[in-house]
Amino acid sequence: MTVNDTPLTIAGTTYTSRLIVGTGKYQSYQQNAEAARAAGAEIVTVAVRRVNLTDPDQPLLVDYLSPKEFTFLPNTAGCFTAEEAIRTLRLAREAGGWSLVKLEVLSDKKTLYPDMIETLRALELLKKEGFEVMVYCSDDPVMAKRVEEAGAAAIMPVGAPIGSGLGIQNPVNIRLIVEQSTVPVLVDAGVGTASDATIAMELGCDAVLLNTAIAEAKDPLLMAEAMKHAVIAGRQAYLAGRMEKRRYADPSSPLAGLI
């Protein structure tokens, strides 16, 4: 970027890319890896309960997405209680030594919205065990502040239901969360296409996390590249500062002195 900007720093590590991508729903690990590279991602999030990380008799994710090339962010997708999430992340740490993790405790299968009571309980326990925790949370500014006060390394408010592709449903709340937070804020879930990612960044988010929008695109690699540019454009627009909206026309050229 040519504008002055501060890098994205999470739990003391600095990243150039502000786009985090997932590792689910792709036709193959090979396609997943190509999409992650096309997106310019440095972090990939991994559903520990669904992705093969250790069985040598089955295709291994790490054979395609190397932990030497990408920062792995184990997540707790599919967990509905604090105990399930904590157990999953302990297994992840045993498998790969990862301490930076994404906490996701779901409330129900229809919306996949976060259960914030269980999320906060899990966060407090994980912090005691030395994890650095990025937290998938509701887009409620009050709960987001509670998450930060409980020690989250990053706040990840939901943009729309996971896998819905509906785009940012509550931009006012996302903006309020950004304004009050002192840790990185990443929109997580709901991004359906490039303009959704741009809007998230224009609201002042530090980064975007997405999966389905790329994995289910007709051309995943092209969409991954579009998402990369969308995040950069949104960040630049945020830094540049949007013009004020007006109710009436304001001519680009003076109306006085016309021939």
Side-chain angles (χ1 to χ4, degrees), residues 87-113:
R87 185 167 58 250
T88 299
L89 293 176
R90 285 172 178 163
L91 291 172
R93 183 156 62 182
E94 290 178 9
W98 298 294
S99 58
L100 178 65
V101 297
K102 176 192 167 187
L103 175 63
E104 180 177 315
V105 184
L106 304 173
S107 58
D108 66 81
K109 294 182 179 179
K110 183 175 182 180
T111 66
L112 299 181
Y113 279 141

mmCIF file of all heavy atoms in Angstrom, residues 87-113:
data_model
loop_
_atom_site.group_PDB
_atom_site.id
_atom_site.type_symbol
_atom_site.label_atom_id
_atom_site.label_comp_id
_atom_site.label_asym_id
_atom_site.label_seq_id
_atom_site.Cartn_x
_atom_site.Cartn_y
_atom_site.Cartn_z
ATOM 1 N N ARG A 87 -11.505 -28.771 24.793
ATOM 2 C CA ARG A 87 -10.935 -30.085 24.464
ATOM 3 C C ARG A 87 -10.365 -30.088 23.039
ATOM 4 O O ARG A 87 -9.267 -30.608 22.796
ATOM 5 C CB ARG A 87 -12.009 -31.172 24.610
ATOM 6 C CG ARG A 87 -11.482 -32.582 24.397
ATOM 7 C CD ARG A 87 -12.488 -33.621 24.862
ATOM 8 N NE ARG A 87 -13.783 -33.517 24.209
ATOM 9 C CZ ARG A 87 -14.893 -33.112 24.795
ATOM 10 N NH1 ARG A 87 -14.875 -32.759 26.060
ATOM 11 N NH2 ARG A 87 -16.040 -33.032 24.127
ATOM 12 N N THR A 88 -11.092 -29.469 22.117
ATOM 13 C CA THR A 88 -10.643 -29.407 20.725
ATOM 14 C C THR A 88 -9.332 -28.641 20.598
ATOM 15 O O THR A 88 -8.409 -29.062 19.884
ATOM 16 C CB THR A 88 -11.729 -28.731 19.857
ATOM 17 O OG1 THR A 88 -12.923 -29.520 19.916
ATOM 18 C CG2 THR A 88 -11.281 -28.608 18.415
ATOM 19 N N LEU A 89 -9.221 -27.540 21.293
ATOM 20 C CA LEU A 89 -8.008 -26.720 21.174
ATOM 21 C C LEU A 89 -6.834 -27.334 21.923
ATOM 22 O O LEU A 89 -5.673 -27.146 21.524
ATOM 23 C CB LEU A 89 -8.297 -25.302 21.660
ATOM 24 C CG LEU A 89 -9.291 -24.547 20.763
ATOM 25 C CD1 LEU A 89 -9.629 -23.187 21.334
ATOM 26 C CD2 LEU A 89 -8.742 -24.398 19.340
ATOM 27 N N ARG A 90 -7.101 -28.082 22.965
ATOM 28 C CA ARG A 90 -5.999 -28.818 23.606
ATOM 29 C C ARG A 90 -5.432 -29.854 22.634
ATOM 30 O O ARG A 90 -4.204 -30.035 22.545
ATOM 31 C CB ARG A 90 -6.510 -29.515 24.874
ATOM 32 C CG ARG A 90 -6.741 -28.579 26.054
ATOM 33 C CD ARG A 90 -7.415 -29.318 27.187
ATOM 34 N NE ARG A 90 -7.627 -28.479 28.366
ATOM 35 C CZ ARG A 90 -8.474 -28.791 29.345
ATOM 36 N NH1 ARG A 90 -9.182 -29.916 29.273
ATOM 37 N NH2 ARG A 90 -8.614 -27.987 30.380
ATOM 38 N N LEU A 91 -6.318 -30.535 21.895
ATOM 39 C CA LEU A 91 -5.865 -31.506 20.895
ATOM 40 C C LEU A 91 -5.064 -30.824 19.790
ATOM 41 O O LEU A 91 -4.060 -31.353 19.308
ATOM 42 C CB LEU A 91 -7.070 -32.247 20.296
ATOM 43 C CG LEU A 91 -7.810 -33.203 21.231
ATOM 44 C CD1 LEU A 91 -9.090 -33.717 20.561
ATOM 45 C CD2 LEU A 91 -6.915 -34.385 21.605
ATOM 46 N N ALA A 92 -5.518 -29.633 19.389
ATOM 47 C CA ALA A 92 -4.795 -28.884 18.356
ATOM 48 C C ALA A 92 -3.387 -28.536 18.823
ATOM 49 O O ALA A 92 -2.417 -28.637 18.064
ATOM 50 C CB ALA A 92 -5.571 -27.624 17.994
ATOM 51 N N ARG A 93 -3.283 -28.130 20.066
ATOM 52 C CA ARG A 93 -1.953 -27.766 20.588
ATOM 53 C C ARG A 93 -1.055 -28.992 20.666
ATOM 54 O O ARG A 93 0.134 -28.907 20.364
ATOM 55 C CB ARG A 93 -2.086 -27.107 21.959
ATOM 56 C CG ARG A 93 -0.751 -26.633 22.512
ATOM 57 C CD ARG A 93 -0.879 -25.509 23.519
ATOM 58 N NE ARG A 93 -1.641 -25.894 24.694
ATOM 59 C CZ ARG A 93 -1.911 -25.065 25.699
ATOM 60 N NH1 ARG A 93 -1.482 -23.815 25.635
ATOM 61 N NH2 ARG A 93 -2.602 -25.455 26.738
ATOM 62 N N GLU A 94 -1.621 -30.124 21.013
ATOM 63 C CA GLU A 94 -0.823 -31.360 21.047
ATOM 64 C C GLU A 94 -0.384 -31.754 19.641
ATOM 65 O O GLU A 94 0.734 -32.239 19.427
ATOM 66 C CB GLU A 94 -1.633 -32.487 21.678
ATOM 67 C CG GLU A 94 -1.858 -32.320 23.176
ATOM 68 C CD GLU A 94 -2.709 -33.450 23.746
ATOM 69 O OE1 GLU A 94 -2.965 -34.427 23.005
ATOM 70 O OE2 GLU A 94 -3.120 -33.352 24.909
ATOM 71 N N ALA A 95 -1.283 -31.529 18.627
ATOM 72 C CA ALA A 95 -0.988 -31.965 17.259
ATOM 73 C C ALA A 95 0.031 -31.066 16.579
ATOM 74 O O ALA A 95 0.906 -31.556 15.848
ATOM 75 C CB ALA A 95 -2.283 -31.994 16.436
ATOM 76 N N GLY A 96 -0.070 -29.764 16.812
ATOM 77 C CA GLY A 96 0.795 -28.854 16.062
ATOM 78 C C GLY A 96 1.503 -27.800 16.881
ATOM 79 O O GLY A 96 2.267 -27.012 16.324
ATOM 80 N N GLY A 97 1.262 -27.792 18.181
ATOM 81 C CA GLY A 97 1.921 -26.811 19.022
ATOM 82 C C GLY A 97 1.350 -25.413 18.913
ATOM 83 O O GLY A 97 1.957 -24.447 19.371
ATOM 84 N N TRP A 98 0.151 -25.298 18.311
ATOM 85 C CA TRP A 98 -0.417 -23.974 18.094
ATOM 86 C C TRP A 98 -1.021 -23.404 19.384
ATOM 87 O O TRP A 98 -1.777 -24.082 20.076
ATOM 88 C CB TRP A 98 -1.507 -24.056 17.020
ATOM 89 C CG TRP A 98 -0.976 -24.516 15.691
ATOM 90 C CD1 TRP A 98 -0.091 -23.851 14.889
ATOM 91 C CD2 TRP A 98 -1.276 -25.753 15.019
ATOM 92 N NE1 TRP A 98 0.169 -24.601 13.756
ATOM 93 C CE2 TRP A 98 -0.534 -25.754 13.801
ATOM 94 C CE3 TRP A 98 -2.086 -26.836 15.313
ATOM 95 C CZ2 TRP A 98 -0.596 -26.809 12.895
ATOM 96 C CZ3 TRP A 98 -2.146 -27.898 14.416
ATOM 97 C CH2 TRP A 98 -1.414 -27.872 13.220
ATOM 98 N N SER A 99 -0.708 -22.170 19.665
ATOM 99 C CA SER A 99 -1.304 -21.505 20.833
ATOM 100 C C SER A 99 -2.213 -20.345 20.419
ATOM 101 O O SER A 99 -3.070 -19.930 21.197
ATOM 102 C CB SER A 99 -0.220 -20.990 21.783
ATOM 103 O OG SER A 99 0.648 -20.087 21.112
ATOM 104 N N LEU A 100 -2.015 -19.803 19.193
ATOM 105 C CA LEU A 100 -2.957 -18.807 18.668
ATOM 106 C C LEU A 100 -4.121 -19.559 18.051
ATOM 107 O O LEU A 100 -3.939 -20.354 17.115
ATOM 108 C CB LEU A 100 -2.286 -17.925 17.614
ATOM 109 C CG LEU A 100 -3.190 -16.873 16.959
ATOM 110 C CD1 LEU A 100 -3.643 -15.842 17.973
ATOM 111 C CD2 LEU A 100 -2.483 -16.190 15.784
ATOM 112 N N VAL A 101 -5.333 -19.323 18.569
ATOM 113 C CA VAL A 101 -6.492 -20.127 18.162
ATOM 114 C C VAL A 101 -7.700 -19.229 17.949
ATOM 115 O O VAL A 101 -7.748 -18.082 18.397
ATOM 116 C CB VAL A 101 -6.827 -21.192 19.234
ATOM 117 C CG1 VAL A 101 -5.670 -22.174 19.395
ATOM 118 C CG2 VAL A 101 -7.152 -20.522 20.579
ATOM 119 N N LYS A 102 -8.682 -19.790 17.253
ATOM 120 C CA LYS A 102 -9.958 -19.106 17.078
ATOM 121 C C LYS A 102 -11.028 -19.857 17.862
ATOM 122 O O LYS A 102 -11.261 -21.048 17.614
ATOM 123 C CB LYS A 102 -10.351 -19.042 15.596
ATOM 124 C CG LYS A 102 -11.730 -18.426 15.379
ATOM 125 C CD LYS A 102 -12.231 -18.615 13.964
ATOM 126 C CE LYS A 102 -13.721 -18.284 13.875
ATOM 127 N NZ LYS A 102 -14.290 -18.610 12.541
ATOM 128 N N LEU A 103 -11.655 -19.153 18.788
ATOM 129 C CA LEU A 103 -12.717 -19.740 19.608
ATOM 130 C C LEU A 103 -14.075 -19.483 18.975
ATOM 131 O O LEU A 103 -14.411 -18.339 18.648
ATOM 132 C CB LEU A 103 -12.674 -19.141 21.013
ATOM 133 C CG LEU A 103 -13.805 -19.561 21.959
ATOM 134 C CD1 LEU A 103 -13.773 -21.061 22.228
ATOM 135 C CD2 LEU A 103 -13.711 -18.769 23.266
ATOM 136 N N GLU A 104 -14.822 -20.557 18.820
ATOM 137 C CA GLU A 104 -16.148 -20.470 18.193
ATOM 138 C C GLU A 104 -17.053 -21.449 18.936
ATOM 139 O O GLU A 104 -16.909 -22.656 18.779
ATOM 140 C CB GLU A 104 -16.005 -20.843 16.713
ATOM 141 C CG GLU A 104 -17.269 -20.806 15.896
ATOM 142 C CD GLU A 104 -16.995 -21.136 14.420
ATOM 143 O OE1 GLU A 104 -16.016 -20.597 13.857
ATOM 144 O OE2 GLU A 104 -17.726 -21.956 13.843
ATOM 145 N N VAL A 105 -17.948 -20.925 19.771
ATOM 146 C CA VAL A 105 -18.906 -21.766 20.489
ATOM 147 C C VAL A 105 -20.296 -21.395 19.978
ATOM 148 O O VAL A 105 -20.766 -20.273 20.186
ATOM 149 C CB VAL A 105 -18.826 -21.573 22.013
ATOM 150 C CG1 VAL A 105 -19.785 -22.540 22.705
ATOM 151 C CG2 VAL A 105 -17.407 -21.786 22.517
ATOM 152 N N LEU A 106 -20.941 -22.337 19.323
ATOM 153 C CA LEU A 106 -22.181 -22.060 18.614
ATOM 154 C C LEU A 106 -23.401 -22.275 19.501
ATOM 155 O O LEU A 106 -23.379 -23.084 20.434
ATOM 156 C CB LEU A 106 -22.268 -22.945 17.372
ATOM 157 C CG LEU A 106 -21.071 -22.809 16.411
ATOM 158 C CD1 LEU A 106 -21.157 -23.851 15.302
ATOM 159 C CD2 LEU A 106 -21.006 -21.409 15.829
ATOM 160 N N SER A 107 -24.493 -21.566 19.153
ATOM 161 C CA SER A 107 -25.709 -21.660 19.956
ATOM 162 C C SER A 107 -26.702 -22.666 19.394
ATOM 163 O O SER A 107 -27.332 -23.407 20.139
ATOM 164 C CB SER A 107 -26.369 -20.283 20.046
ATOM 165 O OG SER A 107 -26.665 -19.792 18.743
ATOM 166 N N ASP A 108 -26.891 -22.675 18.066
ATOM 167 C CA ASP A 108 -27.828 -23.621 17.456
ATOM 168 C C ASP A 108 -27.430 -23.856 16.006
ATOM 169 O O ASP A 108 -26.703 -23.058 15.404
ATOM 170 C CB ASP A 108 -29.265 -23.114 17.538
ATOM 171 C CG ASP A 108 -29.470 -21.866 16.692
ATOM 172 O OD1 ASP A 108 -29.657 -22.006 15.464
ATOM 173 O OD2 ASP A 108 -29.419 -20.759 17.241
ATOM 174 N N LYS A 109 -27.932 -24.958 15.435
ATOM 175 C CA LYS A 109 -27.499 -25.363 14.101
ATOM 176 C C LYS A 109 -28.160 -24.560 12.985
ATOM 177 O O LYS A 109 -27.683 -24.580 11.852
ATOM 178 C CB LYS A 109 -27.778 -26.858 13.907
ATOM 179 C CG LYS A 109 -26.933 -27.739 14.819
ATOM 180 C CD LYS A 109 -27.196 -29.216 14.581
ATOM 181 C CE LYS A 109 -26.325 -30.064 15.502
ATOM 182 N NZ LYS A 109 -26.575 -31.520 15.324
ATOM 183 N N LYS A 110 -29.257 -23.875 13.271
ATOM 184 C CA LYS A 110 -29.954 -23.136 12.228
ATOM 185 C C LYS A 110 -29.236 -21.823 11.882
ATOM 186 O O LYS A 110 -29.046 -21.499 10.715
ATOM 187 C CB LYS A 110 -31.394 -22.840 12.664
ATOM 188 C CG LYS A 110 -32.205 -22.129 11.587
ATOM 189 C CD LYS A 110 -33.653 -21.958 12.022
ATOM 190 C CE LYS A 110 -34.477 -21.292 10.914
ATOM 191 N NZ LYS A 110 -35.891 -21.123 11.313
ATOM 192 N N THR A 111 -28.811 -21.085 12.894
ATOM 193 C CA THR A 111 -28.171 -19.790 12.650
ATOM 194 C C THR A 111 -26.652 -19.842 12.792
ATOM 195 O O THR A 111 -25.954 -19.014 12.225
ATOM 196 C CB THR A 111 -28.699 -18.732 13.630
ATOM 197 O OG1 THR A 111 -28.294 -19.086 14.966
ATOM 198 C CG2 THR A 111 -30.213 -18.645 13.565
ATOM 199 N N LEU A 112 -26.160 -20.793 13.576
ATOM 200 C CA LEU A 112 -24.729 -20.876 13.915
ATOM 201 C C LEU A 112 -24.225 -19.588 14.564
ATOM 202 O O LEU A 112 -23.039 -19.274 14.496
ATOM 203 C CB LEU A 112 -23.884 -21.225 12.683
ATOM 204 C CG LEU A 112 -24.190 -22.577 12.021
ATOM 205 C CD1 LEU A 112 -23.273 -22.796 10.832
ATOM 206 C CD2 LEU A 112 -24.059 -23.730 13.011
ATOM 207 N N TYR A 113 -25.140 -18.857 15.176
ATOM 208 C CA TYR A 113 -24.714 -17.679 15.928
ATOM 209 C C TYR A 113 -23.956 -18.121 17.179
ATOM 210 O O TYR A 113 -24.182 -19.210 17.707
ATOM 211 C CB TYR A 113 -25.924 -16.834 16.346
ATOM 212 C CG TYR A 113 -26.458 -15.932 15.263
ATOM 213 C CD1 TYR A 113 -27.819 -15.734 15.105
ATOM 214 C CD2 TYR A 113 -25.592 -15.251 14.408
ATOM 215 C CE1 TYR A 113 -28.316 -14.903 14.099
ATOM 216 C CE2 TYR A 113 -26.079 -14.417 13.416
ATOM 217 C CZ TYR A 113 -27.431 -14.244 13.265
ATOM 218 O OH TYR A 113 -27.913 -13.432 12.288
#
